[in-house]
Amino acid sequence: MKKNIWVLSGNRTVLVQVQRQINQGGGMRAVCLLSDAAVEKAMEHLGGEDAVEMPSLLLVDYEDGKKNGFTSLSRIKNAPAFAGIPVFFLCGSRTQEKDEECYELGGTVVLVLPFSDAALLRMEKAAWQHEMTRNYEKLLQKQAVELATAKEIKRLNEQLAARNELLHQVFGKYFSDEVVQVILEHPEGAAIGGQKRYLTVMMADLRGFTSLSDRLPAEVVIEMINRFLGEMTEVIQSYRGTVIEFIGDAILAVFGAPLASECPQADAIAAAICMQNKMHDVNAFNQGKGYPAIEMGIGIHAGEVFIGNIGSESLMRYNVIGQAVNLCSRVESYSVGGQILASMETLRPIEQIVTFHRSFEIAMKGIREKIPVCEIAGIAGTYGCSLVQEQETPMTLLEDRCILSMYVLLDKQILGSAIGASVHAISDKEIVLQILPQENAEYPNVFTDVELVLDTQENAYAKIVEAEGNRYRLHFTFLSKDFLQLVTKENADKG
């Protein structure tokens, strides 16, 4: 059965164009309503002698509707019988302000005339989903007759309406328009399953944000993380990447699918550079709000993964799994704030245009051979971007050394006993320590994560980035103002 699409527009030219495109596919039928009077008449004759069938989707002309305050749309939305019907808007051109207004009016999708094939598929899929939901609602209503009280019936109906409204509101917002178009153009996009692909995987994670969030109000944490994720997602999508999921304050993204790319490795490197540079804007926002600055580490690895819809018939998610994802996560775990680490496997096809500060090898759990990685500095060619070097904060040399305890961490758990160390120098980014002589001392390796604890129990977290004998240079992953002030104050007091 064809799905009815009610088209609300006072522009006859628009109606003719829309009707022609909708009707030509065979699966949908456009019901053109030229005026408020036509809408009112259609609503009155639902199921009557001059029966008008219930719509499966509303298509509203934004430019025409704005002239009369969207009165026809309001009349339909206020009618209980029309609750939950998805609303799409059509317009001549799109802007961010126009999109936001359409979403505020209850629209889930904004389309531009003439419609693309993907847009028509999107309309048909939304109409089909609503029909399935409406059939399910009829079944629930039939079962509700057997319920004991009218109150229970009302609760179930409200619950169903709320769920339908939520589904329509969030549809199309989890992916970019380009990703939605690719998925909708392929029938397998809506089915469970996928395929093995050689892709480039990116992991980006804030440093020390868990410890920082424990010290901040919940609303501040949410505002900071949403700002960060929004800025980073925009950069990733601009380089044809796909955000697979947010894992707390971390981002998992892939390049090369579902959007095709001539060189996903180069796209990922360029995106990572721009993401790190974008952190300046993120921290400018935080500073303006009186929030602390944050840092991000990024890891990139290319390899074979399984990508597709993973889950069950009732609940599935577009996801990526495989050893390459695990290796990428491991590469990212070695990075410090402001750093981009990429495996040599990622750089092989593009090593002529990539510049890096240094290369080294890292150990991977379950893999005998160490993995060579590079610290990215820039990429040339058509990308032409490089990391913006922030002015380094000068380190304060401490003549009278502050003594602290250092604990080795593995997966955020303390290993072994405390290691005594004196502070040689410190800044808000790094700290230089000298391990104190002690029996049976086992010096930690470079890239080890550690916790630093003062006698006052004030603590900080850091990663060892350089070691020479018993002297270590560490990059802070979390540093409180109290810790920094106590270390420098103690030295000043002794001086």
Side-chain angles (χ1 to χ4, degrees):
M1 179 181 293
K2 291 185 177 180
K3 299 161 188 66
N4 287 302
I5 313 298
W6 281 18
V7 186
L8 312 183
S9 175
N11 188 322
R12 295 181 182 275
T13 302
V14 169
L15 288 177
V16 170
Q17 184 179 6
V18 171
Q19 186 179 42
R20 183 183 298 116
Q21 282 200 269
I22 289 178
N23 291 350
Q24 70 182 1
M28 298 182 291
R29 178 176 60 190
V31 178
C32 298
L33 302 174
L34 190 63
S35 63
D36 287 351
V39 171
E40 187 174 0
K41 183 177 180 181
M43 294 174 67
E44 291 176 352
H45 287 81
L46 284 174
E49 294 182 0
D50 302 324
V52 178
E53 294 185 20
M54 179 70 75
S56 301
L57 183 142
L58 298 177
L59 190 58
V60 182
D61 184 342
Y62 170 82
E63 279 82 8
D64 180 72
K66 193 170 181 63
K67 294 177 183 177
N68 57 28
F70 298 100
T71 55
S72 295
L73 176 61
S74 298
R75 178 177 285 109
I76 292 175
K77 288 176 69 66
N78 290 330
F82 290 79
I85 295 178
V87 179
F88 283 18
F89 280 87
L90 63 90
C91 56
S93 61
R94 293 180 62 178
T95 64
Q96 183 176 350
E97 292 76 14
K98 191 181 294 184
D99 285 0
E100 290 176 354
E101 185 177 357
C102 291
Y103 295 144
E104 289 176 358
L105 289 167
T108 56
V109 176
V110 181
L111 304 174
V112 177
L113 281 174
F115 300 138
S116 64
D117 292 341
L120 292 169
L121 283 171
R122 200 168 185 176
M123 280 191 279
E124 186 167 3
K125 187 172 183 178
W128 176 83
Q129 287 178 327
H130 180 70
E131 286 296 324
M132 293 295 292
T133 300
R134 189 153 58 195
N135 291 337
Y136 181 56
E137 183 177 11
K138 291 178 181 178
L139 177 62
L140 284 183
Q141 290 174 343
K142 181 179 179 181
Q143 294 174 342
V145 175
E146 302 174 0
L147 296 177
T149 65
K151 182 178 180 180
E152 184 66 12
I153 297 174
K154 181 181 179 181
R155 187 188 69 82
L156 289 174
N157 288 337
E158 289 176 348
Q159 184 180 38
L160 178 62
R163 190 186 71 169
N164 292 341
E165 186 68 20
L166 178 62
L167 287 173
H168 290 306
Q169 285 179 356
V170 301
F171 183 75
K173 294 184 182 180
Y174 283 111
F175 296 104
S176 66
D177 290 340
E178 292 82 2
V179 174
V180 172
Q181 181 174 342
V182 170
I183 294 175
L184 290 177
E185 285 178 350
H186 296 80
E188 66 272 17
I192 292 177
Q195 56 184 318
K196 278 191 174 181
R197 297 279 298 275
Y198 188 88
L199 303 177
T200 303
V201 186
M202 172 195 287
M203 287 283 292
D205 190 13
L206 289 179
R207 292 291 169 257
F209 194 75
T210 301
S211 299
L212 183 65
S213 61
D214 290 339
R215 302 167 182 245
L216 296 172
E219 60 272 16
V220 172
V221 174
I222 294 299
E223 186 174 16
M224 289 179 66
I225 196 69
N226 284 345
R227 182 77 178 198
F228 162 74
L229 294 175
E231 295 280 7
M232 298 304 110
T233 298
E234 185 176 334
V235 174
I236 290 170
Q237 291 179 347
S238 69
Y239 283 93
R240 302 184 66 78
T242 299
V243 174
I244 296 298
E245 64 176 329
F246 299 133
I247 312 167
D249 58 358
I251 302 171
L252 171 62
V254 295
F255 294 79
L259 300 182
S261 171
E262 293 183 2
C263 188
Q265 295 95 329
D267 285 341
I269 296 294
I273 293 171
C274 290
M275 288 166 68
Q276 288 291 15
N277 292 340
K278 194 71 173 178
M279 289 299 290
H280 175 77
D281 295 339
V282 172
N283 281 322
F285 170 81
N286 290 342
Q287 183 179 11
K289 291 276 192 173
Y291 304 156
I294 52 179
E295 288 188 314
M296 170 182 62
I298 298 178
I300 301 172
H301 178 68
E304 192 174 67
V305 299
F306 179 90
I307 186 167
N309 292 323
I310 299 170
S312 65
E313 292 293 343
S314 60
L315 180 64
M316 63 182 177
R317 187 179 63 181
Y318 193 71
N319 207 346
V320 57
I321 57 176
Q323 188 182 46
V325 180
N326 300 330
L327 292 179
C328 180
S329 176
R330 187 62 175 160
V331 171
E332 182 273 324
S333 71
Y334 277 84
S335 67
V336 296
Q339 216 176 33
I340 302 168
L341 298 183
S343 66
M344 194 61 73
E345 174 69 21
T346 306
L347 300 182
R348 283 196 180 95
I350 55 173
E351 56 185 351
Q352 296 84 359
I353 61 173
V354 175
T355 56
F356 53 88
H357 295 301
R358 60 177 177 142
S359 63
F360 51 91
E361 293 183 334
I362 59 177
M364 296 285 188
K365 186 177 180 180
I367 298 180
R368 292 182 179 179
E369 297 183 358
K370 292 186 176 181
I371 304 296
V373 299
C374 296
E375 181 183 353
I376 303 300
I379 184 169
T382 57
Y383 298 94
C385 57
S386 59
L387 280 177
V388 176
Q389 297 296 324
E390 294 187 5
Q391 185 175 0
E392 293 187 4
T393 305
M395 300 194 77
T396 301
L397 297 177
L398 306 183
E399 296 180 1
D400 292 307
R401 310 289 174 78
C402 172
I403 305 299
L404 53 74
S405 298
M406 180 170 67
Y407 295 90
V408 173
L409 299 178
L410 180 62
D411 297 328
K412 300 183 179 181
Q413 300 295 319
I414 293 177
L415 292 182
S417 56
I419 303 171
S422 63
V423 182
H424 178 74
I426 189 171
S427 72
D428 61 355
K429 297 287 187 183
E430 294 187 336
I431 185 170
V432 177
L433 301 177
Q434 185 168 340
I435 304 300
L436 300 178
Q438 50 192 0
E439 294 183 5
N440 302 321
E442 292 187 9
Y443 293 163
N445 298 322
V446 176
F447 306 120
T448 299
D449 292 309
V450 299
E451 180 182 8
L452 308 176
V453 182
L454 297 172
D455 291 341
T456 60
Q457 298 306 307
E458 189 68 31
N459 68 336
Y461 295 92
K463 182 186 288 290
I464 299 173
V465 294
E466 188 177 296
E468 184 176 349
N470 66 341
R471 178 166 290 195
Y472 286 73
R473 182 169 64 87
L474 301 86
H475 189 102
F476 285 116
T477 55
F478 170 75
L479 172 67
S480 67
K481 291 182 179 179
D482 291 340
F483 185 95
L484 181 60
Q485 289 174 355
L486 284 170
V487 172
T488 53
K489 181 178 184 299
E490 183 171 334
N491 180 75
D493 290 344
K494 291 180 179 179

